[in-house]
Amino acid sequence: MPDIDVRINGIRYQDHVEPRLLLVHYLRDRLGLTGTNVGCDTSNCGACTVLVDGTGAKSCTMLAVQADGTEITTIQGLAGGEGAGAPEDWHPLQKAFNAEHGLQCGYCTPGMIMSSVDLLQRNPDPTEDEIRHGLEGNLCRCTGYQNIVKAVQAAAGELRAAGAPGAVVGGQS
Amino acid sequence: MIPAAFDYVRPASVAEAVAALGEHGDEAKLLAGGHSLLPLMKLRLASPGVVVDLGRIPDLRGVRDDGDVLAIGAMTTHQAVVADPLVREHVPLLAHTTAMVGDPQVRNRGTLGGALAHGDAAGDLPAVAQVLEAEMVLEGPSGRRTVAAADFFVDYLTTAVGEDEVLVEVRVPKYGAGWGYRYEKFNRVAQAWAIVGVAAMVRRENGTVAEARVGLTNMGTVPYRARATEGALAGAPADATTLATAAEAADQGTDPPSDLNAQADYRRHLARVLTRRALEAASGA
Ligand SMILES: Cc1cc2nc3c(=O)[nH]c(=O)nc-3n(C[C@H](O)[C@H](O)[C@H](O)COP(=O)(O)OP(=O)(O)OC[C@H]3O[C@@H](n4cnc5c(N)ncnc54)[C@H](O)[C@@H]3O)c2cc1C
Ligand code: FES
Ligand code: FES
């Protein structure tokens, strides 16, 4: 079995993995990082989105071995501290999804937020249209997207006011 | 869904990748961005015994200015193509179309080389390679050879890439400011794949069409050029009526499929309408 050496939410893991192990299963089943969801399992819904070297990737469409040498951020690493952290420590996108009711059942939310991080890193001041297109890889069955767009707009404003580019980790391609 | 078990190798050079292909024969499959291959493996529609990951071969990534041509590494991601200043300046049709491929996550991982080597009839980039008259550079045990786009797409999911070859580079001529361009894509919102797509490039001179090129996505097992439309436009006036008449011939010589998204005759209709729109946009008419 090949070895992988990967940094996930700031912690380094050196592991043996079967080549066919999907990244999402490594995260959920091996590391217990169940904040990252599997929705469709067919590369369409984006519920499984994590950041790989700073850019959004569907972790159901990536092998764990492909992540060797990379830096990964999941929804559980976004707030910085241990676990989810206290509400005041949340990332501005997490706060905004809460405040703007950007979720109903919440199943799509981890992926929505990680894709939104990627979007705001590339484009700190997106128009409504750019937000909708930027989240094309994430499907939501509940909200009708309206409040998701509002949440991203609110967080974008918050991040711009704070002077932060919204970056979590580097490595933008 | 979990792929069938396989062995994994990650060569550090193209030569090592070619050697791995030679060693494992038809058991082996190259892995690029994995956004066509891994879904097929998860569905067990593909079960390679050995996966050869091209992900750590630095030479295969990036865009190089090579005189009259841009040389784009096969492993350059869709996102890197969209953002590349050389591509945007010299081959804007490629940046414009690649921005419509899939969604942001797909573009972050999927590669230009993978999209061409996979040869999916519904993929957007094969038709674009046709109208750009790109050349594919293949490396095998006996060295490199170059295949023109016109000869590259052989059949459904079948390209000129041999079992022991790696697509290393896509060479695209630079197009000057005289060329207009457009990709018209018709798809369902929640499914990025084109039901039909049309790539058009038009070079105008003094109000006439000096040259028009039209490529068709998902109108058969391979990406076609709409030769009858192109021929009708050479030297013709670049006005809306002429373009619309020429577009009526866009589906000639095609063989569109019927599937759950569209019947063949509807695809023919789409090809004509989208060709007219793409030509109008590309010629500024
Ligand atoms: C949800 C979703 C939506 C998509 N929407 C679109 C869309 O709208 N339009 C579109 O055009 N595409 C779309 N795609 C496909 C996407 O563009 C893929 O990335 C692309 O088709 C394959 O590129 P890849 O790098 O992922 O290749 P892989 O999946 O890794 O490989 C594909 C095939 O090509 C072979 N191959 C790869 N690289 C090479 C090489 N260098 N030399 C020789 N053989 C090679 C592999 O062996 C394999 O058989 C979509 C994919 C997904 C998952
Ligand atoms: S679970 Fe990965 S895209 Fe739906
Ligand atoms: S909140 Fe239920 S799927 Fe989006």
Side-chain angles (χ1 to χ4, degrees):
Chain A
M1 284 202 283
D3 296 305
I4 60 167
D5 187 341
V6 56
R7 189 172 283 278
I8 299 170
N9 297 340
I11 300 169
R12 184 177 176 189
Y13 298 88
Q14 290 165 295
D15 248 322
H16 296 294
V17 293
E18 209 189 342
R20 63 171 165 170
L21 182 68
L22 298 171
L23 177 60
V24 72
H25 293 145
Y26 179 65
L27 295 172
R28 290 178 56 87
D29 304 344
R30 290 278 285 272
L31 304 184
L33 292 171
T34 50
T36 301
N37 286 339
V38 178
C40 64
D41 206 9
T42 57
S43 318
N44 286 296
C45 75
C48 63
T49 301
V50 300
L51 300 183
V52 178
D53 285 338
T55 59
K58 294 173 179 172
S59 60
C60 75
T61 314
M62 223 182 127
L63 302 170
V65 282
Q66 289 178 287
D68 179 36
T70 66
E71 178 145 0
I72 289 177
T73 308
T74 78
I75 186 72
Q76 284 165 274
L78 200 53
E82 293 278 305
E88 57 271 24
D89 296 333
W90 288 352
H91 185 277
L93 272 162
Q94 292 172 304
K95 289 183 186 163
F97 269 69
N98 182 334
E100 302 293 334
H101 295 283
L103 59 133
Q104 287 176 24
C105 80
Y107 204 86
C108 69
T109 313
M112 279 294 174
I113 290 182
M114 298 318 284
S115 286
S116 302
V117 173
D118 190 2
L119 168 67
L120 295 183
Q121 279 174 182
R122 284 174 217 268
N123 182 356
D125 191 7
T127 62
E128 175 178 344
D129 203 47
E130 286 167 340
I131 294 172
R132 290 182 184 275
H133 280 286
L135 296 178
E136 242 162 16
N138 294 74
L139 303 181
C140 175
R141 303 182 52 152
C142 303
T143 63
Y145 301 96
Q146 209 64 19
N147 288 352
I148 291 175
V149 174
K150 276 192 205 157
V152 175
Q153 282 168 328
E158 186 76 23
L159 283 161
R160 283 198 310 277
V168 179
V169 286
Q172 184 78 1
S173 65
Chain B
M1 293 181 294
I2 296 167
F6 55 85
D7 288 330
Y8 175 80
V9 289
R10 194 163 68 202
S13 67
V14 175
E16 274 180 46
V18 170
L21 292 178
E23 186 184 336
H24 300 289
D26 62 7
E27 276 286 277
K29 207 78 178 114
L30 294 171
L31 174 68
H35 273 54
S36 291
L37 183 58
L38 291 177
L40 289 174
M41 288 172 62
K42 288 171 69 178
L43 292 166
R44 308 261 174 136
L45 293 172
S47 305
V50 180
V51 168
V52 180
D53 185 357
L54 298 175
R56 301 300 162 86
I57 306 178
D59 292 354
L60 291 181
R61 286 186 199 267
V63 181
R64 195 160 46 83
D65 193 325
D66 195 9
D68 296 336
V69 166
L70 290 188
I72 307 176
M75 287 294 292
T76 308
T77 63
H78 296 317
Q79 172 55 31
V81 167
V82 171
D84 189 85
L86 288 170
V87 174
R88 298 180 84 96
E89 179 180 354
H90 299 294
V91 199
L93 172 65
L94 181 60
H96 159 79
T97 309
T98 306
M100 291 183 226
V101 169
D103 54 52
Q105 294 98 310
V106 170
R107 294 193 292 274
N108 284 342
R109 306 275 325 157
T111 66
L112 176 61
L116 297 177
H118 193 54
D120 195 321
D124 300 300
L125 300 172
V128 167
Q130 289 283 39
V131 300
L132 292 172
E133 301 190 346
E135 291 182 333
M136 306 338 147
V137 181
L138 308 177
E139 184 167 328
S142 50
R144 291 190 170 196
R145 66 186 179 110
T146 300
V147 180
D151 303 317
F152 185 78
F153 303 100
V154 178
D155 200 349
Y156 183 68
L157 298 182
T158 309
T159 66
V161 183
E163 218 168 61
D164 54 359
E165 286 181 316
V166 177
L167 170 60
V168 291
E169 193 170 273
V170 182
R171 297 179 62 80
V172 189
K174 290 180 183 171
Y175 289 92
W179 286 90
Y181 62 88
R182 175 74 132 224
Y183 188 70
E184 282 287 331
K185 179 169 177 171
F186 192 85
N187 61 286
R188 292 187 290 140
V189 173
Q191 275 271 306
W193 294 97
I195 294 173
V196 172
V198 175
M201 287 180 74
V202 175
R203 187 164 59 82
R204 281 177 64 161
E205 263 171 24
N206 310 321
T208 63
V209 176
E211 188 179 353
R213 299 183 190 171
V214 177
L216 306 172
T217 295
N218 220 358
M219 286 297 289
T221 54
V222 293
Y224 289 107
R225 287 276 290 268
R227 296 286 183 190
T229 298
E230 294 180 359
L233 284 173
D239 60 55
T241 317
T242 310
L243 297 175
T245 308
E248 285 300 309
D251 62 316
Q252 274 183 27
T254 64
D255 185 17
S258 287
D259 56 31
L260 74 160
N261 289 315
Q263 297 297 307
D265 59 345
Y266 179 56
R267 280 201 163 86
R268 288 182 181 279
H269 167 76
L270 281 176
R272 295 190 294 262
V273 172
L274 298 176
T275 296
R276 174 174 54 72
R277 290 182 191 164
L279 284 170
E280 282 172 359
S283 65

